[in-house]
Amino acid sequence: MKDSARGLIVLAILLFSMVVHGGPCPHALTISIAESWPPAVQKKIESFQQPFKEIGCEVIFKKVPLSRSLLMVSRGELDGDTFRIDAFGSDLPHLVRVQSPMARLKYYFYKKSGSDLNLDQPKSFKWRKTCLTLGNRLRAQVAKELQLQVLEAANTFQCLKMLANGRVDVFIGPTLEVEDPTLKEYNSHFVRAQNPFVTANLYIYLNDRHKDIARALEPLMDKYRINDEMP
């Protein structure tokens, strides 16, 4: 209880300071959305405005290649990045993570209908082929863990096309991404595993000049967290 009260006092002082000094954001924040996400995910991220508004910040979301977005944040060319796993440290300096996730998504394996793969036994996928969207560390980690062969693509659409055409055997992703209605041409022919392979927390990263903004956003994340529901 004491820790909770102390946290509320710190937040109140921080918010008061922001009001006195004109807020934490004298200019709109430019925050990236990965170009590789399909429309349903991009729409979810673009709607994530309210936490920033509550602390007096305006956000401009900008579509950027996933492979470059965090590097641009580290260099100060962007103010922040979205939907990133907790896997960035000394390799990219000048980053600060909002400690509570902006999203928590279940990642399932998918295969083409008629495939003989048993999706409930991922260890049997060894040496099978999968597709990675460039810069996606979660998929890279899964591929390494299961010893999958990797083909890379610029976006989810290209990966699902590969799966539908038999160029790869499996693809892993959340339902919000893979089952996007705009990709029905391909995903209507897929079978999904019964259970998720992993549940991933996805975070906002900011350039470390925005440490105060990260702290102010922290207590608001649970209230606005994105889940697996389709639009």
Side-chain angles (χ1 to χ4, degrees):
M1 181 66 73
K2 289 182 179 179
D3 289 341
S4 177
R6 189 179 297 112
L8 289 173
I9 292 171
V10 171
L11 176 61
I13 293 172
L14 179 61
L15 292 176
F16 176 76
S17 175
M18 290 174 179
V19 171
V20 170
H21 297 288
C25 304
H27 306 288
L29 299 172
T30 302
I31 296 182
S32 62
I33 298 175
E35 289 180 341
S36 56
W37 289 117
V41 179
Q42 292 185 359
K43 183 178 178 181
K44 280 280 189 181
I45 298 175
E46 287 171 344
S47 69
F48 200 80
Q49 299 271 354
Q50 196 58 37
F52 291 94
K53 288 180 180 179
E54 286 200 23
I55 64 169
C57 295
E58 179 187 353
V59 177
I60 299 171
F61 286 111
K62 181 178 181 179
K63 295 175 185 177
V64 175
L66 184 66
S67 58
R68 292 196 288 113
S69 56
L70 267 181
L71 179 60
M72 293 174 72
V73 176
S74 177
R75 291 174 174 173
E77 298 167 7
L78 292 169
D79 294 299
D81 195 13
T82 53
F83 262 43
R84 287 290 195 163
I85 61 172
D86 180 15
F88 303 94
S90 58
D91 56 335
L92 284 173
H94 307 301
L95 296 179
V96 59
R97 195 192 84 201
V98 179
Q99 293 299 306
S100 290
M102 72 176 294
R104 181 170 292 138
L105 303 179
K106 299 172 183 176
Y107 279 68
Y108 293 85
F109 274 110
Y110 289 80
K111 67 176 183 179
K112 185 179 179 180
S113 299
S115 167
D116 62 355
L117 275 177
N118 185 344
L119 291 178
D120 295 318
Q121 295 183 359
K123 290 184 178 180
S124 69
F125 300 169
K126 187 176 180 180
W127 307 128
R128 295 280 194 161
K129 294 179 180 178
T130 191
C131 181
L132 305 187
T133 44
L134 291 167
N136 191 297
R137 291 200 181 190
L138 187 149
R139 290 194 177 103
Q141 290 174 0
V142 171
K144 182 178 181 180
E145 176 184 346
L146 298 178
Q147 299 182 58
L148 300 172
Q149 297 184 59
V150 170
L151 298 180
E152 293 185 320
N155 52 52
T156 302
F157 169 79
Q158 292 178 3
C159 279
L160 297 191
K161 185 176 180 180
M162 287 184 189
L163 185 60
N165 294 338
R167 290 187 60 195
V168 299
D169 302 296
V170 291
F171 182 71
I172 187 169
T175 57
L176 179 64
E177 175 186 16
V178 182
E179 299 179 29
D180 185 323
T182 66
L183 304 177
K184 188 176 181 180
E185 176 184 0
Y186 298 111
N187 63 29
S188 61
H189 303 291
F190 299 156
V191 175
R192 188 183 77 190
Q194 183 175 356
N195 298 307
F197 181 73
V198 64
T199 299
N201 289 329
L202 303 177
Y203 297 88
I204 296 173
Y205 279 83
L206 300 175
N207 183 276
D208 60 8
R209 68 177 179 269
H210 298 311
K211 290 178 181 178
D212 287 347
I213 296 174
R215 284 195 295 268
L217 286 171
E218 168 64 27
L220 302 174
M221 290 295 100
D222 287 349
K223 182 178 176 182
Y224 296 103
R225 184 172 298 147
I226 296 170
N227 57 34
D228 295 286
E229 292 178 3
M230 295 297 291

